Amino acid sequence: MRGHPGFRECSVADADKLTAWLAEHVACKERRPEQVRVELLARCHTECIEPPTPGRCDRIVGAALRAAEETLTARISAQLTVESIERIVALVTGADQEDDAEPGDAGTGEGEDGVPALGKIKEAPGNVSLETMLTEIDKLLAVRAMGLPPDLFADVAPKVVAGWRARAAVESPSHLRTHPLPLRVTLLAALLHERERETTDTLVELLISTVHRIGARAEKKVTEQLVNAFKKVSGKENILFKLAEASIGEPEGTVREVVYPAVSGDEQTLRELVHEFKTRGPVCRRTVQTTLKASYTNHYRRGLIKLLDGWEFRSSNHTHRPVIEALALVARYASTGNTTYYPLGETVPVHKAMGGDWAEVVHRTDKRGRRRVVRMVYEVVAFQALRDQLKCKEISVVGADKWRNPDEDLPQDFSERREENYRELRKPLDVADFVDELREQMTTELDLLNGRLPRLSRLDIAERKSGAIRLTPAEAQPEPRNLRRIKAEVQRRWGVVPLIDMLKEAVLRTGCLDAVTSVSGGGSLSAEVLAERLLLVIYAYGTNTGIKAVASGGHGHTEDELRYVRRRYLSAEAARAIAIQIANAAFATRSIELWGQGSTAVASDSTHVRAYDQNLFTEWHSRYGGRGVLIYWHVEKKSLAVHSQLINCTASEVAAMIEGAIRHGTTMDVEANFTDSHGQSEIGFGITRLLNFDLLPRIKRINKVKLYRPAAGEPGTYPRLAPALTRPIRWELIAQQYDQMIKYATAIRTRTASTEAILRRFTRNASHPTYAAMLEVGRVQKTIFVARYLRLRDLQREIEEGLNVMESSNGANSVIAYGKGGEIASNRRDEQEMFLCLRILQSALVYVNTLMLQDILGEPEWADLLPPPADRRGLTPLFWSHVRPYGEVNLDMDARLNLAAVTVPSPRTPPDEASPSPIGPSGSGYGSRHATVG
């Protein structure tokens, strides 16, 4: 059989050839063994070689990874000077950091030649303060002192550099010293390279936050001062009427005789009225500006001026060049003595921020009557202008990552791969076809709504002050029967199940821990021990109880052992991969007869989580009234979380919604996204249209929504919709910017830029032509959606049902993550991200509940109690009345839940090529002894 299609056994020569090919073409770009293995098997098929045995495959993959690493590290270290290598090696020479120390822990002192210890370089930044800014500046200068070439890793795949950086971050100095010199230098250089970019980004964020804080605190201080002296004068309209009436009645009389007696309180009331105007008018603004200048000069100036030293600003827009020139002027005179003005004859760049309320404060007339520029005020205005332009990325910082040149966010090969990029987005190359499709859909939906409006008793469109549209809410649907009986049967059969047992069952059945490997590339732990410790660590973070609390359970693993596994094995990326595999297994396990066809829609929303605030990521949230972070969830219609991400409170939820919908990583094909009111932005509608999925928000203020017209000069086309109609769409703008819009959408799709980076550049720069065109596309798509939403009651119910699932998911999260009152008790970003282990626990709960329900409803006597579709409409696997998340954590890998056997996709093959495999994959030691279940 092997000979008929021309295949042969893998000889020693073939293995050597495969190893060399993998090292040259695959392992230099991909360091994950499971992915290299996939490429190996594909290459074997191409070369007509029978796939080697699993053990031999692992040896070939390992040899290729080692060979590629040796080649890369030798090339990287050869680009460094002898002085740079000595400085880098000195970071770990003589350091006494313990092997079990956490990344970012201090206490290693200084190395040779006064170089800061490695722990200081790895430390996370503190909160927004002058001290944090100075510390981060010193950190950046120390990293730059290593002398790394800017293009050291230019020809190395970013994921490889990220892997080296993660490895250097978790290994102790004693471990790093054991590596060969090229590898040791490369690991530390990758860490320094990434930390330089991260620290630069941190300093940009500190600058933005500090300048904002200076102004906010100045306004608060002045407000408190003026409130004490301010006495509100009531009845201003009556006073004005009485003054006018008295003046008209006796036009010849004096003010004291006619005007004063007409006002209650006489002259004193009028004095208070004048004082109120002054404190609320220009005097108040000037006082704020003066206080702001004093706060900047006396405290924050030292850090902001030091920031300018060594930074290079760039802008591709000539409009903002004066701001960069102004910063150069500020830096040039930074060390000048206490001179009030810039010297006569000095060219002072003029920019927009110098106008308005600041014009009178920036310029002052000196003793000789000359108009001069006040130096300190000019510095304040320059930093405020820099803040505004940095936020919209009109000004970029050389050496930054997040705040880099926005042109680098776009795919550089877009023109060469233009047809492929359009095809991936399923968009026509001809802009006329795109515009015609939009116009046709818009016209069709408006025609349908206009024609059916008289028959829609729940909808009324008419001229009214409260808004033209009046929509009666849908009636509440009856509660399904027998669902409580089914849940009670679940508890009767399986009892109260500890949450750790549900996690264990999901792990053993899906093999989701197979892909978890050590960040450092090796490890001596057996598969069984590693699996148990990973389960305990996931449980500790998912319930938010912490490793220390979980370590006290009856399982035989100490706190130090669990922390070691957390640091070496369980990263945020690994946690996401575990959750994705459980989700894929749940999709493959579902019975079509019970759950119906697979869903293509998800609901998304954010959850506020309180967190420690001595860091940059934790922010104040005005709606929730506290400091914390947001976890943004994507949950499909059967209550399974397909994506979660940690964002700060000021991040764009539209960007988070888009990121989750296109980067969830599961086998689910997302075609629609239900959102609450945050998803109603027109730019959100525009981007989702370009990325080919529907944005379906719940519109709370539907009465205020306006529908756009498809064409100009046709005011009588939709007479019944006229009160809700507004201006026509500017199709010519869409046509002009079509290619650029596709370019930005491709940047989001290919990850050359995040959605947040694109929106940051657009939303704060409304004059950008591509942004204006995306808004027009969004207005078209929003009109299409609103017309459908008003016409179709089923669509309204579908959105409500999806968002209700989202609310139920939030309720489950509050039950699972009960530890520490729901607060993230850490200031480190990597620790805060581990809160996403909550998604693993919730997915495991849904997965096991799905199996329980299918076991029960697979029996005829129970299936008859749930006739479709009435009761099955409310059937959900997300319930927890039979789950115990509290109490002592006892982990027994031999105790299993009595559930029917299922097949799951193999974790080592793509979803579309997966074949059924038994529970407990044979390749995992922790699952092989539990292969027989039920």
Side-chain angles (χ1 to χ4, degrees):
M1 291 180 64
R2 183 190 302 125
H4 180 71
F7 277 73
R8 66 182 186 276
E9 287 187 275
C10 183
S11 65
V12 175
D14 288 331
D16 293 340
K17 184 179 178 181
L18 289 170
T19 301
W21 182 86
L22 287 173
E24 181 180 357
H25 296 93
V26 180
C28 60
K29 301 177 182 178
E30 176 59 70
R31 303 298 298 170
R32 291 176 295 176
E34 65 274 10
Q35 295 298 322
V36 179
R37 178 188 173 92
V38 171
E39 295 296 331
L40 168 62
L41 296 178
R43 183 67 177 179
C44 288
H45 188 273
T46 302
E47 296 291 327
C48 294
I49 299 173
E50 182 180 350
T53 62
R56 195 176 186 191
C57 280
D58 291 340
R59 290 192 293 274
I60 294 174
V61 169
L65 288 171
R66 287 191 297 273
E69 185 172 73
E70 290 174 0
T71 302
L72 287 173
T73 55
R75 191 177 76 212
I76 294 297
S77 59
Q79 298 180 45
L80 298 171
T81 63
V82 176
E83 293 79 8
S84 295
I85 292 177
E86 290 177 351
R87 296 190 189 102
I88 292 173
V89 171
L91 287 172
V92 294
T93 301
D96 58 355
Q97 185 175 349
E98 296 294 336
D99 288 354
D100 60 350
E102 292 291 334
D105 286 349
T108 59
E110 289 191 347
E112 298 177 1
D113 302 325
V115 177
L118 186 60
K120 293 291 185 182
I121 293 177
K122 293 191 288 186
E123 276 184 350
N127 60 352
V128 180
S129 65
L130 176 61
E131 290 74 20
T132 299
M133 183 180 295
L134 296 175
T135 300
E136 293 300 306
I137 292 173
D138 292 340
K139 187 187 303 181
L140 180 62
L141 295 176
V143 174
R144 288 179 175 176
M146 298 292 117
L148 298 182
D151 57 348
L152 181 62
F153 297 100
D155 57 346
V156 182
K159 64 174 64 176
V160 175
V161 180
W164 285 337
R165 178 234 193 272
R167 186 173 173 182
V170 301
E171 289 191 356
S172 65
S174 61
H175 285 166
L176 289 169
R177 288 196 297 268
T178 62
H179 295 312
L181 182 62
L183 177 58
R184 188 191 330 163
V185 170
T186 300
L187 293 178
L188 291 171
L191 174 64
L192 293 170
H193 172 76
E194 293 294 298
R195 288 299 292 146
E196 181 179 5
R197 288 151 57 95
E198 292 167 2
T199 305
T200 303
D201 284 339
T202 296
L203 287 171
V204 174
E205 293 171 4
L206 280 170
L207 185 149
I208 292 173
S209 300
T210 299
V211 174
H212 169 74
R213 173 172 290 191
I214 294 173
R217 289 189 172 182
E219 291 184 1
K220 181 179 179 181
K221 183 176 180 180
V222 171
T223 300
E224 290 175 353
Q225 292 174 350
L226 294 178
V227 163
N228 295 331
F230 173 74
K231 182 178 179 181
K232 184 178 179 181
V233 181
S234 59
K236 298 181 184 65
E237 295 81 4
N238 292 334
I239 292 175
L240 179 61
F241 170 75
K242 291 179 181 179
L243 289 177
E245 186 180 38
S247 300
I248 294 174
E250 297 185 40
E252 302 298 332
T254 62
V255 172
R256 188 171 299 278
E257 295 175 353
V258 177
V259 176
Y260 285 177
V263 180
S264 176
D266 203 35
E267 180 181 356
Q268 182 61 28
T269 300
L270 296 178
R271 290 187 182 277
E272 292 172 356
L273 188 62
V274 172
H275 176 68
E276 177 182 343
F277 170 76
K278 289 182 177 181
T279 54
R280 295 181 62 184
V283 174
C284 177
R285 288 195 299 272
R286 284 196 296 269
T287 306
V288 170
Q289 292 163 352
T290 304
T291 307
L292 188 151
K293 182 181 81 68
S295 177
Y296 164 78
T297 306
N298 298 331
H299 186 68
Y300 291 103
R301 183 177 185 270
R302 182 160 56 102
L304 292 173
I305 291 296
K306 193 173 181 180
L307 263 181
L308 297 181
D309 187 19
W311 265 17
E312 183 181 354
F313 299 100
R314 290 182 183 175
S315 177
S316 57
N317 192 338
H318 292 288
T319 305
H320 306 293
R321 289 294 307 171
V323 177
I324 299 178
E325 295 170 359
L327 295 171
L329 175 66
V330 169
R332 195 161 63 248
Y333 284 92
S335 58
T336 307
N338 296 324
T339 56
T340 305
Y341 307 107
Y342 283 110
L344 293 172
E346 178 64 66
T347 302
V348 179
V350 179
H351 48 85
K352 293 181 180 179
M354 296 175 61
D357 296 337
W358 282 101
E360 299 179 7
V361 187
V362 173
H363 296 90
R364 189 187 304 171
T365 304
D366 62 10
K367 296 179 180 179
R368 298 184 181 182
R370 297 171 298 190
R371 196 165 185 262
R372 308 280 294 276
V373 176
V374 183
R375 190 162 63 93
M376 291 300 172
V377 179
Y378 185 81
E379 290 182 5
V380 173
V381 175
F383 279 113
Q384 287 188 330
L386 175 63
R387 171 184 179 268
D388 294 339
Q389 302 312 318
L390 281 173
K391 293 183 71 174
C392 63
K393 300 190 74 171
E394 287 293 349
I395 292 179
S396 59
V397 179
V398 176
D401 181 30
K402 183 178 178 181
W403 305 96
R404 64 186 178 183
N405 185 346
D407 294 336
E408 298 178 15
D409 292 340
L410 300 177
Q412 302 303 310
D413 59 348
F414 179 80
S415 300
E416 293 78 8
R417 305 176 61 182
R418 187 170 182 271
E419 293 186 7
E420 177 186 345
N421 292 328
Y422 274 78
R423 183 170 60 253
E424 289 292 333
L425 291 173
R426 299 192 298 235
K427 293 293 180 289
L429 287 169
D430 190 353
V431 62
D433 294 338
F434 177 74
V435 170
D436 290 344
E437 180 184 3
L438 279 178
R439 185 187 286 114
E440 181 181 356
Q441 290 183 11
M442 185 180 183
T443 303
T444 300
E445 291 298 335
L446 290 175
D447 285 339
L448 289 173
L449 180 61
N450 184 72
R452 298 186 184 180
L453 185 60
R455 298 191 296 274
L456 300 176
S457 58
R458 61 181 179 273
L459 176 64
D460 179 47
I461 298 179
E463 292 286 355
R464 55 175 68 91
K465 291 184 179 180
S466 60
I469 301 174
R470 180 177 292 170
L471 179 65
T472 304
E475 310 83 20
Q477 293 181 301
E479 181 180 356
R481 301 171 299 164
N482 298 321
L483 290 184
R484 293 185 180 181
R485 291 183 59 187
I486 295 174
K487 293 179 182 179
E489 178 64 14
V490 169
Q491 186 166 349
R492 189 192 68 78
R493 290 194 185 188
W494 288 280
V496 178
V497 184
L499 183 60
I500 187 69
D501 285 353
M502 303 197 86
L503 174 63
K504 174 193 65 181
E505 192 70 28
V507 165
L508 293 177
R509 285 174 171 266
T510 62
C512 59
L513 299 185
D514 272 1
V516 179
T517 57
S518 172
V519 175
S520 60
S524 58
L525 293 176
S526 65
E528 292 87 350
V529 173
L530 176 59
E532 292 180 13
R533 293 179 184 176
L534 282 172
L535 286 173
L536 294 170
V537 173
I538 291 171
Y539 184 83
Y541 281 99
T543 58
N544 203 33
T545 52
I547 290 178
K548 185 174 183 179
V550 170
S552 63
H555 43 69
H557 301 285
T558 66
E559 180 182 351
D560 289 342
E561 290 169 342
L562 296 182
R563 292 194 183 280
Y564 176 86
V565 167
R566 151 68 184 100
R567 185 174 68 253
R568 291 294 185 110
Y569 292 89
L570 191 62
S571 62
E573 291 74 18
R576 291 189 187 95
I578 293 170
I580 287 172
Q581 289 206 28
I582 295 177
N584 288 340
F587 291 141
T589 300
R590 284 179 181 169
S591 167
I592 297 178
E593 292 77 13
L594 181 61
W595 305 103
Q597 295 292 334
S599 173
T600 60
V602 294
S604 62
D605 198 5
S606 62
T607 304
H608 183 261
V609 180
R610 290 182 293 112
Y612 284 6
D613 61 354
Q614 296 302 304
N615 59 85
L616 286 182
F617 199 70
T618 301
E619 295 177 340
W620 177 270
H621 199 291
S622 58
R623 177 153 52 100
Y624 295 103
R627 289 190 173 273
V629 295
L630 296 178
I631 299 181
Y632 199 87
W633 295 88
H634 281 73
V635 180
E636 55 94 40
K637 296 178 73 172
K638 296 302 179 183
S639 304
L640 184 64
V642 298
H643 192 265
S644 60
Q645 54 190 310
L646 192 74
I647 60 176
N648 54 28
C649 294
T650 57
S652 169
E653 293 196 32
V654 173
M657 177 268 297
I658 294 172
E659 286 286 315
I662 65 177
R663 307 206 201 288
H664 53 87
T666 70
T667 55
M668 181 181 181
D669 185 15
V670 176
E671 297 179 357
N673 199 126
F674 307 122
T675 68
D676 216 326
S677 55
H678 68 266
Q680 293 186 42
S681 68
E682 291 172 344
I683 188 65
F685 275 104
I687 293 180
T688 53
R689 175 68 189 227
L690 294 172
L691 292 172
N692 280 313
F693 69 93
D694 288 332
L695 176 60
L696 305 176
R698 173 170 56 190
I699 302 181
K700 293 182 178 178
R701 301 185 64 191
I702 190 68
N703 57 313
K704 297 291 185 180
V705 173
K706 289 292 185 179
L707 303 172
Y708 286 81
R709 297 178 182 271
E714 300 177 358
T717 306
Y718 307 104
R720 299 187 181 96
L721 308 180
L725 292 175
T726 183
R727 69 166 178 84
I729 294 295
R730 294 182 291 173
W731 301 105
E732 69 284 355
L733 181 59
I734 296 176
Q736 291 170 5
Q737 296 295 320
Y738 179 56
D739 198 61
Q740 279 296 108
M741 289 190 294
I742 297 297
K743 194 172 185 178
Y744 278 102
T746 301
I748 296 174
R749 181 186 62 82
T750 59
R751 293 194 178 189
T752 59
S754 65
T755 311
E756 185 179 4
I758 299 297
L759 291 182
R760 183 185 296 115
R761 186 180 188 189
F762 282 166
T763 54
R764 298 183 179 276
N765 186 14
S767 61
H768 198 289
T770 307
Y771 175 61
M774 280 189 177
L775 283 177
E776 289 300 304
V777 174
R779 287 161 183 150
V780 175
Q781 186 62 27
K782 185 175 181 179
T783 299
I784 294 171
F785 165 73
V786 171
R788 290 177 55 214
Y789 182 84
L790 295 175
R791 179 170 55 87
L792 302 175
R793 182 64 95 184
D794 289 343
L795 178 60
Q796 299 169 26
R797 286 199 176 98
E798 184 182 9
I799 294 174
E800 288 292 336
E801 289 173 0
L803 294 178
N804 288 341
V805 169
M806 186 72 247
E807 294 299 328
S808 177
S809 177
N810 289 338
N813 291 337
S814 63
V815 172
I816 296 173
Y818 66 89
K820 298 180 177 66
E823 181 179 28
I824 301 178
S826 176
N827 279 315
R828 287 169 41 195
R829 174 68 181 274
D830 61 329
E831 286 289 304
Q832 292 184 348
E833 285 188 335
M834 292 309 299
F835 193 78
L836 298 178
C837 286
L838 170 61
R839 174 183 163 197
I840 300 178
L841 292 183
Q842 190 192 117
S843 298
L845 171 68
V846 171
Y847 174 71
V848 174
N849 280 350
T850 299
L851 298 179
M852 290 178 172
L853 291 174
Q854 290 181 176
D855 277 6
I856 294 175
L857 297 175
E859 301 171 2
E861 62 272 21
W862 283 98
D864 294 339
L865 292 177
L866 205 66
D871 278 4
R872 297 192 181 185
R873 169 180 50 81
L875 185 65
T876 174
L878 185 60
F879 60 96
W880 51 90
S881 56
H882 62 301
V883 178
R884 177 170 59 83
Y886 316 106
E888 186 179 22
V889 181
N890 296 312
L891 181 61
D892 182 2
M893 300 297 285
D894 293 319
R896 300 295 298 272
L897 297 177
N898 185 19
L899 294 168
V902 295
T903 57
V904 296
S906 172
R908 292 190 172 185
T909 55
D912 55 345
E913 301 176 5
S915 58
S917 61
I919 301 171
S922 59
S924 58
Y926 57 84
S928 58
R929 50 186 175 146
H930 307 297
T932 303
V933 181

